[in-house]
Amino acid sequence: MAKDISEHIKYVRREFNDTPLLEKDIMDNPMDLFSQWMEEATAADLLDPFAMCFSTVDKIKGVDSRILYLRGMTDEGYIFYTNYDSDKGRQILEDPRVGLNFFWNEISRQVKINGVASKIDSQVSDEYFAKRPRRSQLGAWASDQSQVLLNRDALDKKLEEVENTFENKEVERPPNWGGIIVKPTYFEFWKGRASRLHDRYTYELIDGIWKVKRLSP
């Protein structure tokens, strides 16, 4: 079976839809173009268009990546929420340079973003936390994210303790849980084309101005 799937992976091919990304489609501000692409990905009824691969650097493990959900877009950057004591929270504290990657397979688009991560204002985190489902709020207290867990029973027991603590009460935001904003310094917009001759454009922030280049596929 392992050999069969290996052969399948080696030779499977499909063509991307051949809609181009041309110079006339490129905007002065990449954040405007990203907003347009996100709107179009959402309108296409894709599954979780706001899911992204989020990459950090760990002094021991090297590059560390995981899938997260984008939960906010502002003029300054892109927001997600996490436990600040998690691996990614600790890694951001050590080195705030991070990478985001959005891949929308069905519409043959990908966006890569590099930027600098930092905590958002606590009031914004409070407002977001207050709108989360109660079970998710309780879970934020119950989970010591990224820490070693003896077994599932231990987690369930911790959740039960938290439920008792907040019985008939509003669940407050844990002090070690909140938002992170990534302020972008680099974008790459990729549009899949036939025969792997893709369209690729990069934006780099230099002295406060976005500089655009087209790359070979």
Side-chain angles (χ1 to χ4, degrees):
M1 179 61 72
K3 182 177 180 181
D4 290 344
I5 193 62
S6 178
E7 290 299 304
H8 176 74
I9 292 170
K10 187 185 300 183
Y11 297 114
V12 66
R13 294 286 186 275
R14 72 171 181 83
E15 285 291 3
F16 296 99
N17 73 57
D18 204 34
T19 306
L21 177 61
L22 303 176
E23 280 75 8
K24 67 179 180 62
D25 303 313
I26 298 302
M27 300 178 179
D28 293 337
N29 189 329
M31 299 183 77
D32 293 335
L33 182 56
F34 179 80
S35 293
Q36 177 181 303
W37 276 29
M38 178 62 78
E39 288 178 4
E40 291 171 355
T42 301
D45 200 26
L46 306 186
L47 181 63
D48 294 344
F50 40 84
M52 61 185 182
C53 178
F54 179 72
S55 299
T56 49
V57 178
D58 187 282
K59 290 181 179 179
I60 297 175
K61 292 187 289 186
V63 176
D64 197 7
S65 298
R66 73 287 285 166
I67 302 299
L68 304 177
Y69 284 150
L70 179 69
R71 290 304 189 193
M73 299 168 54
T74 73
D75 291 339
E76 289 190 319
Y78 305 107
I79 297 170
F80 66 93
Y81 293 85
T82 189
N83 184 315
Y84 293 140
D85 295 330
S86 65
D87 281 352
K88 57 185 170 296
R90 175 181 53 78
Q91 290 158 356
I92 289 169
L93 187 62
E94 294 175 351
D95 188 337
R97 296 173 298 173
V98 300
L100 314 178
N101 191 286
F102 296 83
F103 180 54
W104 300 309
N105 181 54
E106 295 86 349
I107 56 175
S108 302
R109 290 180 178 179
Q110 180 176 210
V111 183
K112 180 169 67 175
I113 304 172
N114 294 345
V116 179
S118 60
K119 293 181 182 179
I120 63 174
D121 184 88
S122 59
Q123 182 177 346
V124 178
S125 293
D126 288 340
E127 292 171 355
Y128 176 80
F129 188 82
K131 295 179 181 179
R132 299 186 89 207
R134 185 176 178 84
R135 293 288 290 181
S136 296
Q137 293 175 333
L138 295 169
W141 281 95
S143 174
D144 297 321
Q145 194 175 78
S146 302
Q147 302 305 309
V148 174
L149 183 65
L150 180 62
N151 51 45
R152 181 71 192 199
D153 287 343
L155 179 60
D156 292 340
K157 183 178 180 181
K158 182 69 176 296
L159 178 59
E160 184 178 349
E161 293 172 355
V162 172
E163 288 175 329
N164 292 334
T165 298
F166 288 102
E167 187 175 6
N168 300 321
K169 300 177 185 177
E170 290 188 3
V171 183
E172 300 173 357
R173 178 177 65 89
N176 64 337
W177 191 99
I180 297 287
I181 185 169
V182 177
K183 298 180 179 180
T185 57
Y186 177 91
F187 285 80
E188 179 183 324
F189 292 85
W190 174 96
K191 178 64 185 67
R193 299 291 303 276
S195 304
R196 300 304 190 261
L197 297 176
H198 312 306
D199 291 325
R200 298 172 63 194
Y201 293 87
T202 65
Y203 289 78
E204 187 173 5
L205 189 60
I206 301 176
D207 296 329
I209 299 174
W210 289 105
K211 303 293 185 180
V212 184
K213 296 179 182 177
R214 182 173 183 134
L215 302 183
S216 295

